[in-house]
Amino acid sequence: MRLLKLVPDDTNIRFLKWRNVAIILSIILTVASIALTVTRGLNFGVDFAGGQMIQVTFTEDDVAPIAELREDIDALGVEGASIQRFGDENQVSIRMRVTEGVDDDPELASAVSTRVTQMIEGEHAGARIDSVDSVSGKVSGELFRAGALALGLAMLAISLYIWLRFEWQFGVGALFALFHDVALTFGFFALTQLEFNLNIVAALLTIIGYSLNDTIVVYDRIRENLRKYRKMEIVPLLDLSVNETLARTVMTSLTMAIALVVLVFVGPDVLFGFTVAMLLGVFVGTYSSVYMASPVLIWLKVGSDTFVPEETSPSGQRIHKEGYDR
């Protein structure tokens, strides 16, 4: 049986031919994303903005009456409430922004949640209040700082690992690509104003891991070819390395994208932001591995002398060999 190949074995695409155009476009998008994030800001959810979260199960209904519930909450004068299905079709999660002055008077938060729960129990027969959680503005600020610190430390730790695993030029290239991926994701959420919560921080950490994995696969092939083809110029060598890993990259990205697209359209609302962030990260991470991480090696003067070629001695130990060429 003949195996299906999405990418032919003899693929020879000159990816690096467009490196300058790609870098300019990426710089523009990165700067625009940072500007959008600073000027427009992110639509923080309860996790980061503070507020109350109420989980309700409508035991007598197969599907939660979200539209009616939203009208009832609006009638109470509670603004900015977010209502999403949570778990089964008859379960919802109600998230309300923090009330102004709640840090000075915590009873304000409980008063709002009490009004909402009493309304639900009175207007909707069989409604069961599963939980009522409150997050103060102070706690939400600590969560945001902890999330930002986790992102920053993850990127630095990854770059340090690549520096030790390869060379410092590769660490710089990986950090450049990761910063590009995270900045574009922030810009996307600033532009669309989708809710930014702890799920999105988890998505960002996953994007960093995915982008790193793809970058390391390309870098490992580059390192191997630097040892193997001592006289080959760096641009053709990078093109060769990307083409040799292209089949793996396409298969991995395509399978992830298919699963994520299905989740976007048929998945629960509570996972929508996470899924969209992941889908964006798959495309951005694949792109940055080729057009961000690889061109940086050219500018940092990585060449055939970066790594000394190796061969195996009769005893099985690796020894260095000078003067190896193609």
Side-chain angles (χ1 to χ4, degrees):
M1 181 177 177
R2 187 175 182 181
L3 296 177
L4 173 64
K5 290 188 177 181
L6 298 178
V7 179
D9 293 332
D10 57 348
T11 302
N12 187 23
I13 303 174
R14 296 178 60 191
F15 289 102
L16 276 297
K17 177 182 179 181
W18 307 102
R19 64 185 182 277
N20 293 329
V21 175
I23 287 293
I24 293 173
L25 177 62
S26 296
I27 291 175
I28 293 174
L29 290 176
T30 301
V31 172
S33 297
I34 295 173
L36 267 175
T37 304
V38 172
T39 57
R40 191 169 184 177
L42 299 170
N43 180 24
F44 290 121
V46 174
D47 300 327
F48 296 139
Q52 298 83 42
M53 182 172 67
I54 304 173
Q55 293 183 4
V56 187
T57 300
F58 294 87
T59 58
E60 297 183 1
D61 298 312
D62 294 330
V63 179
I66 293 180
E68 297 177 18
L69 191 59
R70 183 172 284 111
E71 292 178 0
D72 294 337
I73 292 177
D74 290 341
L76 291 177
V78 179
E79 299 180 355
S82 173
I83 306 174
Q84 296 177 325
R85 285 192 175 89
F86 183 82
D88 296 332
E89 292 290 320
N90 64 339
Q91 294 179 313
V92 296
S93 172
I94 305 170
R95 299 190 178 196
M96 300 170 292
R97 296 296 180 89
V98 66
T99 306
E100 187 176 353
V102 71
D103 288 333
D104 299 327
D105 187 5
E107 293 183 359
L108 288 175
S110 61
V112 173
S113 59
T114 300
R115 287 167 55 200
V116 174
T117 54
Q118 289 177 347
M119 179 276 296
I120 294 174
E121 291 174 335
E123 298 293 332
H124 301 272
R128 185 186 71 220
I129 307 299
D130 295 324
S131 66
V132 179
D133 298 319
S134 297
V135 180
S136 69
K138 181 178 180 180
V139 173
S140 62
E142 293 175 353
L143 285 174
F144 180 76
R145 287 191 293 272
L149 182 62
L151 290 174
L153 291 178
M155 293 173 64
L156 288 176
I158 285 169
S159 300
L160 179 61
Y161 163 76
I162 295 179
W163 182 352
L164 297 176
R165 183 71 174 79
F166 297 91
E167 292 290 336
W168 69 268
Q169 297 97 327
F170 291 80
V172 172
L175 185 61
F176 186 59
L178 292 177
F179 179 80
H180 165 269
D181 299 344
V182 172
L184 262 60
T185 306
F186 271 102
F188 172 79
F189 277 88
L191 178 64
T192 60
Q193 288 297 293
L194 289 172
E195 184 177 294
F196 192 94
N197 50 36
L198 283 175
N199 286 342
I200 309 305
V201 174
L204 285 169
L205 289 171
T206 309
I207 289 170
I208 289 175
Y210 175 84
S211 178
L212 167 70
N213 180 63
D214 203 33
T215 300
I216 285 182
V217 169
V218 177
Y219 274 178
D220 194 58
R221 186 55 59 90
I222 291 172
R223 180 178 63 172
E224 179 182 336
N225 287 335
L226 281 170
R227 289 170 171 163
K228 188 175 181 181
Y229 305 121
R230 297 278 289 170
K231 293 184 178 180
M232 183 180 290
E233 294 183 0
I234 186 62
V235 173
L237 187 142
L238 294 179
D239 277 332
L240 173 64
S241 302
V242 173
N243 278 282
E244 287 178 343
T245 57
L246 189 59
R248 178 262 176 204
T249 299
V250 170
M251 182 61 70
T252 303
S253 301
L254 184 60
T255 52
M256 285 195 64
I258 291 173
L260 291 170
V261 167
V262 172
L263 277 176
V264 167
F265 289 102
V266 302
D269 292 339
V270 71
L271 290 178
F272 181 77
F274 175 87
T275 307
V276 170
M278 282 295 301
L279 186 59
L280 175 66
V282 168
F283 289 104
V284 173
T286 303
Y287 165 84
S288 66
S289 297
V290 177
Y291 285 109
M292 297 289 100
S294 298
V296 169
L297 302 181
I298 300 175
W299 302 324
L300 296 179
K301 308 297 183 183
V302 172
S304 59
D305 57 344
T306 304
F307 295 100
V308 178
E310 298 174 343
E311 65 176 6
T312 304
S313 67
S315 62
Q317 296 179 339
R318 287 183 174 180
I319 59 174
H320 294 298
K321 179 181 178 183
E322 300 295 338
Y324 179 91
D325 55 26
R326 189 172 181 178

